[in-house]
């Protein structure tokens, strides 16, 4: 709703009220409209202030409305026109946030005052839409085309001080914003308002408008990577340069409706809520976010200053948590320290008040040591050493002796057994997996893995840590590869099998990149280094000296195996770092991949050696085999209770594995393709490749199909239901 009151003798205050973020639901809009009409009709009211409850203006339209049958009838645009047409001055008092429809309401007001800590933006693009309440037409008239394009096509939040420089707000205050707005409204009584009505203003012309727009469109398309909304945002803003206001609004509405009915908006809005849903974690034994309280982390330590450790230290410093970095000897320590300092310098440059805020030259904030004793007083340790169980156990045993009894012990592993690591400590309840993604100071995902004995407090503390590091924490159970890497295995396995059967690395990568992945599996493997997987396969006895003599080249433990990545490693082709991998690079450490004729002839010799008949593999098969194998593994993960819902898998894939957000994540994608279709295709491929268990459809997938293909939200409720069709 919206509360109507008097702020001063002649000023009506309309307060948007819909906790927690004053989203503009139909009820709020109705109350806003009623408030405006009441103020208009009351001759004792001479001016109006619009503000929001609880120090927040508004987060915009209620996103849930877009997936309800009433979505067409939001009708925010006409209410904003009503504000603008008012003969009585209307001042927006912006505190906290004014986003999307919230900012559009403020743009309809004649004046805008913002609190110095407020943030403003039109983030509709991030949920697959465009500002659909005349914002694409008003904003360019207020701040010009280049700034409007930037704000609308990126959806970024603009801090109040920048908003003032752009002319988006008229004044920034540090005091009570609503009172300041009431004072301004009082002063404005009786003054002319024509020039303050944005719809009546022309769009400021640029001398080179056409060239500017065509350049901008190219940039927008490049960034969009298959996502529709940024380009349609661009089209709406372009309309503002070509059409009168009313026609521009019609164009905006037309484009908005195209997006609203597109699958992409649905997927992006699902992703928005999925990210919030995973914050409310639960485990199969009943632990949950509701009852567990996080412990404060006043000081942390990171063991190992390799690539991961450096990124983790940087993230902690950015989160303003004092941190100690520990290495095994002075040489490694010095290399690590230099690298961390460089990362922090770069991060500081990107920040407004940079170095002072981070304060990383202060030893009380950041310290480096080779001495474990220094870790006596830390509240939490993140071990980020080499992926080797014996080494990790040795470190955890030591930590358990040195660290204070309340300290939490985290391991940054991408696959190893948390219980085995915890077993060597005196506090298995305080041991937890924190799987960061590289580069750890950039990637948003933190997979949080609880073991058999991990306490709810430990999970809550790790989740809280993710939040202060501005990461998305996702709580998952303990199994080899956890969620992300476990689902990745069948995907990359299919990619390599496709090479054996006739594809080339660039064919497979292109199909998956066209689908929207930032980077295909072979380019990814070259980037990460082929030697990483090689080492793990050697440890598992799948290749290398421990392989039993006489093992068939393309079979392990009775199933199909491809030795192709091992063969490349034997030839020293580790990817970008050696200048050669699945592709060739301009030099060792080079980043620009070029298809390598050597690989093409190597693959054809390989097929000859193993009598594999090369066949043409179409895009559909490449996509389906890679994605459906990954999805089937996802259903197994859900059935085993490793993750508590499909949203968890989707959030992990979007934030850690480059899955295109506008496709909602693998499980959401599965729901859009239709589970019966996925099942039928997996059955077909599995019949073609009976020696590949990863192509066999998950029993849970089969069950859901037998239960009538229920919507994704209901999947988990079917887990334990009996199906008489199976
Ligand atoms: C729009 O305006 C279209 C118009 O142009 C045209 C219309 C015709 N709706 O994120 P948090 C919920 S489109 C419904 O955890 P924070 C959120 O789900 C809209 N619910 O807090 C969560 O619920 P729960 C354009 C919303 O402090 C709770 O509020 N606007 C909305 O970390 C707290 O949220 C946007 O895209 C909403 N609009 O961040 C802004 N917003 O407690 C989207 C939030 O049940 N919102 N909720 O999990 C955000 O970016 C962040 O939520 C915000 C707060 C920065 C506001």
């Amino acid at each position: 709703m919206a509360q109507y009151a008097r702020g001063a003798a002649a000023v009506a205050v309309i307060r948007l009220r819909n906790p927690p973020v004053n989203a503009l639901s139909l009820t709020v809009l109705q109350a806003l409209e009623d408030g405006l009409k009441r103020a208009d009709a009351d001759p004792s009211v001479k001016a109006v202030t619009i503000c929001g409850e609880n120090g927040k203006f508004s987060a915009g339209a209620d996103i849930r409305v877009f997936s309800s049958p009433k979505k067409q009838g939001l009708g925010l645009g006409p209410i904003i026109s009503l504000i603008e047409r008012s003969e009585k001055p209307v001042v927006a008092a912006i505190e906290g946030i004014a986003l999307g429809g919230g900012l559009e309401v403020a743009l309809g007001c004649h004046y805008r005052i913002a609190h110095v800590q407020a943030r403003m933006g039109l983030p509709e693009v991030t949920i697959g839409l465009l500002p659909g309440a005349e914002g694409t037409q008003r904003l360019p008239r207020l701040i010009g085309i280049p700034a409007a394009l930037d704000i609308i096509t990126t959806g970024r939040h603009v801090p109040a001080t920048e908003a003032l420089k752009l002319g988006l707000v008229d004044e920034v205050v540090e005091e009570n914003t609503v009172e300041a707005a009431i004072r301004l409204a009082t002063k404005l009584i009786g003054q002319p308002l024509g020039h303050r009505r944005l719809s009546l203003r022309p769009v400021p012309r640029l001398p080179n408008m056409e060239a500017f727009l065509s350049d901008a469109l190219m940039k927008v398309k490049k960034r969009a990577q298959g996502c529709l909304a940024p380009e349609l945002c661009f089209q709406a803003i372009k309309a503002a340069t070509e059409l009168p206001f009313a026609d521009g609004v019609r164009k905006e509405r037309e484009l908005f409706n195209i997006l609203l009915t597109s699958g992409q908006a649905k997927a992006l809005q699902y992703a928005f809520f999925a990210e919030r849903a995973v914050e409310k974690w639960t485990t199969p034994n009943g632990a949950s976010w509701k009852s567990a309280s996080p412990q404060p982390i006043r000081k942390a330590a990171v063991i190992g200053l390799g690539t991961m450790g450096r990124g983790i230290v940087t993230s902690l410093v950015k989160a303003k948590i004092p941190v100690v970095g520990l290495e095994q000897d002075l040489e490694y320590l010095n290399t690590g320290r230099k690298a961390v300092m460089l990362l922090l310098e770069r991060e500081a440059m990107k920040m407004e008040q940079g170095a002072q805020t981070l304060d990383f030259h202060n030893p009380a904030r950041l310290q480096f040591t080779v001495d474990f004793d220094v870790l006596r007083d830390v509240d939490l340790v993140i071990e980020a050493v080499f992926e080797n169980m014996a080494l990790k156990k040795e470190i955890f045993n030591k930590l358990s002796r040195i660290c204070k009894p309340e300290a939490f012990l985290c391991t940054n592993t991408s696959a190893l057994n948390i219980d085995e690591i915890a077993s060597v400590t005196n506090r298995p309840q305080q041991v937890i997996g924190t799987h960061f993604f590289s580069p750890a100071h950039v990637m948003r995902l933190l997979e949080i893995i609880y073991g058999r004995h991990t306490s709810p407090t430990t999970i809550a503390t790790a989740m809280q840590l993710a939040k202060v590091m501005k990461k998305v924490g996702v709580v998952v159970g303990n199994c080899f590869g956890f969620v992300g890497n476990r689902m990745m295995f069948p995907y990359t396995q299919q990619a390599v099998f496709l090479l054996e059967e006739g594809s080339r690395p660039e064919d497979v990568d292109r199909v998956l990149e066209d689908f929207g992945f930032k980077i295909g599996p072979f380019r990814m493997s070259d980037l990460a280094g082929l030697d990483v997987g090689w080492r793990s396969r050697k440890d598992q006895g799948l290749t290398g000296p421990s392989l039993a003599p006489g093992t068939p080249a393309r079979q392990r433990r009775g199933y199909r195996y491809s030795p192709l990545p091992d063969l490349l490693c034997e030839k020293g082709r580790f990817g970008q770092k050696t200048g050669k991998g699945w592709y060739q690079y301009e030099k060792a450490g080079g980043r620009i991949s070029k298809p390598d004729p050597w690989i093409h002839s190597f693959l054809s010799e390989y097929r000859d050696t193993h009598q594999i008949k090369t066949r043409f593999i179409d895009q559909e098969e490449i996509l389906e085999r890679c994605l459906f194998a990954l999805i089937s593994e996802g259903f197994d993960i859900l059935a085993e209770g490793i993750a508590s819902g499909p949203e968890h898998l989707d959030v992990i894939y979007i934030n850690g594995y480059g899955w295109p957000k506008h496709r909602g994540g693998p499980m959401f994608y599965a729901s859009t393709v239709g589970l019966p279709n996925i099942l039928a295709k997996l059955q077909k491929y599995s019949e073609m490749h009976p020696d590949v268990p990863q192509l066999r459809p998950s029993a849970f997938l089969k069950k859901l199909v037998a239960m009538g293909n229920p919507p994704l939200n209901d999947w988990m409720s079917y887990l334990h239901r009996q199906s008489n069709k199976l």
Side-chain angles (χ1 to χ4, degrees):
M1 58 166 295
Q3 187 196 36
Y4 185 91
R6 279 298 172 92
V11 182
V13 176
I14 302 174
R15 196 178 291 270
L16 307 169
R17 211 179 202 188
N18 185 12
V21 291
N22 302 325
L24 303 171
S25 62
L26 294 173
T27 323
V28 173
L29 290 183
Q30 187 58 58
L32 172 60
E33 189 177 354
D34 292 348
L36 290 165
K37 288 184 175 160
R38 189 168 157 190
D40 186 47
D42 184 343
S44 69
V45 170
K46 307 284 184 213
V48 180
T49 287
I50 301 179
C51 61
E53 178 86 344
N54 281 336
K56 289 177 185 142
F57 192 77
S58 166
D62 184 342
I63 300 170
R64 283 172 221 276
V65 172
F66 299 129
S67 48
S68 82
K70 289 183 183 164
K71 63 186 169 196
Q72 304 295 343
L74 203 57
L76 180 55
I79 298 178
I80 294 171
S81 296
L82 190 68
I83 300 174
E84 197 191 70
R85 280 200 310 273
S86 167
E87 292 300 332
K88 303 176 181 179
V90 186
V91 181
I94 302 174
E95 296 173 302
I97 40 158
L99 300 173
L103 183 60
E104 290 174 297
V105 167
L107 288 171
C109 298
H110 305 118
Y111 288 83
R112 287 157 291 280
I113 291 193
H115 187 263
V116 66
Q117 297 204 315
R119 290 177 290 143
M120 282 144 267
L122 293 172
E124 286 86 343
V125 69
T126 62
I127 51 166
L129 296 174
L130 53 81
E134 308 178 357
T136 63
Q137 305 304 299
R138 278 200 183 84
L139 191 65
R141 286 173 161 81
L142 180 63
I143 62 172
I145 291 290
L149 255 177
D150 166 45
I151 290 175
I152 294 176
T153 60
T154 63
R156 74 183 177 90
H157 293 189
V158 180
T161 42
E162 186 191 343
L164 184 66
K165 282 187 206 141
L166 289 171
L168 179 54
V169 295
D170 302 291
E171 206 181 320
V172 168
V173 294
E174 290 190 26
E175 54 186 300
N176 185 318
T177 316
V178 181
E179 280 172 15
I182 294 168
R183 271 198 306 280
L184 176 64
T186 313
K187 269 197 241 158
L188 294 168
I189 293 171
Q191 291 194 15
L193 292 173
H195 65 296
R196 304 296 307 183
R197 295 191 172 102
L198 296 179
S199 68
L200 304 181
R201 285 197 198 171
V203 172
R205 300 293 313 167
L206 291 174
N208 51 351
M209 186 69 95
E210 248 176 57
F212 173 82
L213 287 175
S214 73
D215 187 43
L217 177 60
M218 257 171 33
K219 288 186 189 144
V220 166
K221 276 188 170 169
K222 195 165 169 215
R223 265 202 325 259
Q225 291 187 311
C227 187
L228 270 179
E231 192 176 338
L232 268 62
C233 283
F234 171 88
Q235 298 299 352
I237 300 162
K238 184 165 176 264
T241 68
E242 294 165 343
L243 303 171
F245 185 81
D247 294 342
V249 166
R250 261 190 291 282
K251 182 74 184 173
E252 177 193 273
R253 200 161 305 149
E254 191 185 297
L255 295 169
F256 183 83
N257 284 331
I258 294 176
L259 288 174
L260 188 61
T261 47
S262 76
Q264 292 195 358
K266 213 171 155 199
L268 285 160
Q269 286 158 30
Y270 161 83
F272 175 85
F273 289 115
E275 204 171 283
R276 278 137 190 99
V278 301
E279 283 181 25
K280 301 182 171 101
W281 58 271
T282 54
T283 67
N285 62 11
S288 108
W289 66 282
K290 279 191 202 147
S291 48
S293 318
Q295 292 302 301
I297 302 302
R298 296 188 193 89
K299 188 171 179 188
V302 175
I303 302 187
L305 297 174
T307 312
M308 293 308 294
R310 294 167 193 176
I312 299 170
V313 171
T314 305
S315 294
L316 288 163
V317 173
K318 280 176 72 184
K320 302 210 169 68
I321 297 177
V323 50
V324 183
L326 185 140
E327 254 299 352
Q328 54 178 318
D329 63 32
L330 285 174
E331 196 186 329
Y332 277 103
L333 188 74
N334 280 332
T335 316
R337 182 208 315 254
K338 277 189 204 139
V340 167
M341 287 307 195
L342 196 67
L343 283 180
L344 283 165
E345 298 286 356
R346 283 195 204 137
E347 290 300 304
M349 277 192 328
K350 285 189 222 154
M351 296 169 70
E352 239 178 272
Q353 279 135 357
Q356 295 104 313
T357 328
L358 292 182
D359 196 18
F360 54 87
H361 293 289
N362 176 354
R365 285 288 186 93
L366 176 59
Q367 193 185 345
F368 294 93
T369 186
V370 288
D371 180 1
F372 267 82
D373 271 344
V374 176
L375 310 192
R376 280 185 191 285
D377 66 339
V378 300
D379 302 308
L380 178 139
V381 182
I382 301 172
E383 161 278 309
V385 303
F386 207 57
E387 198 76 319
N388 176 293
M389 183 55 93
L391 178 61
K392 296 213 182 229
K393 278 170 136 175
E394 189 190 315
I395 290 172
F396 272 73
N397 187 264
K398 207 166 178 176
L399 288 173
S400 136
R401 279 182 279 121
I402 289 170
C403 294
K404 61 185 180 187
E406 320 83 86
F408 298 97
L409 308 180
C410 312
T411 172
N412 176 53
T413 170
S414 57
L416 298 181
N417 188 338
I418 307 299
D419 289 330
E420 194 176 338
I421 296 172
S423 70
V424 298
T425 72
N426 55 7
R427 62 190 85 181
Q429 73 285 359
Q430 282 152 244
V431 175
I432 194 160
T434 45
H435 178 201
F436 287 82
F437 288 72
S438 186
H441 61 295
V442 176
M443 297 293 283
R444 286 187 76 222
L445 179 63
L446 182 63
E447 225 178 3
I448 293 174
I449 309 105
Y450 60 88
R452 195 177 314 139
H453 302 288
T454 308
S455 70
T457 306
T458 309
I459 302 177
T461 305
M463 279 298 275
Q464 178 65 20
L465 183 69
K467 199 166 184 157
V468 296
M469 289 194 293
K470 297 203 166 60
K471 298 199 183 290
V472 195
V474 186
V475 174
V476 301
N478 184 22
C479 63
F480 187 75
F482 317 128
V483 166
N485 283 349
R486 180 169 156 185
M487 287 169 75
M488 184 69 358
F489 173 69
Y491 166 86
T492 45
Q493 187 197 48
Q494 285 306 310
V496 176
F497 288 165
L498 288 162
L499 295 195
E500 288 191 326
E501 293 164 38
S503 296
R504 295 173 306 172
E506 54 272 29
D507 301 330
V508 177
D509 278 349
R510 195 178 328 106
V511 170
L512 290 154
E513 286 162 12
D514 285 350
F515 176 77
F517 273 98
K518 290 200 177 75
I519 180 168
F522 294 108
R523 258 184 271 276
M524 171 58 89
S525 164
D526 275 0
L527 176 71
L530 275 76
D531 50 325
V532 180
W534 194 33
R535 206 178 305 124
S536 160
R537 289 190 297 277
K538 282 196 239 173
D539 287 347
Q540 293 171 62
L542 293 168
T543 189
S546 58
L547 189 65
T551 308
R554 297 181 55 234
Q555 213 182 69
R556 297 290 182 276
R557 298 162 194 162
Y559 297 117
R560 180 170 168 189
Y561 177 84
S562 173
L564 277 174
D566 302 333
L567 294 173
L568 258 60
C569 286
E570 282 165 21
K571 294 185 189 311
R573 296 182 72 110
F574 291 170
Q576 286 189 5
K577 62 177 96 165
T578 56
K580 286 188 174 81
W582 299 106
Y583 292 89
Q584 55 179 322
Y585 297 84
E586 66 280 17
K587 58 175 193 282
R591 282 163 184 254
I592 301 167
S593 59
K594 262 188 15 194
D596 192 345
W598 183 91
I599 283 280
H600 302 157
S601 48
F602 167 74
L603 285 174
S604 97
E605 277 165 33
Y606 173 88
R607 291 183 202 118
D608 290 345
T609 310
H610 296 287
Q611 289 152 13
I612 304 168
K613 197 163 173 288
T614 305
R615 65 184 179 93
F616 169 74
I617 303 175
D618 65 17
Q619 297 184 5
E620 187 177 284
E621 181 174 345
I622 293 176
L623 196 68
E624 290 174 348
R625 278 179 55 188
C626 292
L627 297 190
F628 294 179
L630 175 151
I631 287 166
S632 184
E633 192 70 39
F635 279 109
D636 277 348
I637 285 172
L638 292 178
E640 289 167 29
I642 297 291
S644 51
E647 299 88 352
H648 292 62
L649 279 46
D650 288 335
V651 171
I652 287 175
Y653 262 76
I654 288 171
N655 291 288
Y657 292 84
W659 181 282
K661 200 171 182 178
H662 60 272
R663 292 192 190 267
M667 307 317 280
F668 179 87
Y669 176 69
S671 75
T672 62
V673 174
L675 303 192
N677 295 331
I678 298 202
L679 177 60
K681 287 296 173 80
L682 280 168
Q683 278 164 336
K684 176 182 124 183
Y685 293 128
S686 176
E687 273 164 30
M688 285 162 66
H689 306 277
D691 54 351
V692 182
Q694 288 77 8
L695 285 172
R696 286 179 210 155
S698 155
F700 186 36
L701 167 63
K702 283 190 194 163
K703 180 172 181 174
L704 288 172
V705 173
M707 302 293 255
N709 187 24
L712 176 138
N713 286 348
D714 295 343
W715 288 356
M716 299 313 281
S717 70
Y718 283 83
L719 198 53
H720 301 296
R721 282 196 215 174
Q722 292 302 318
S723 158
N724 44 22
K725 291 199 203 153
L726 280 177

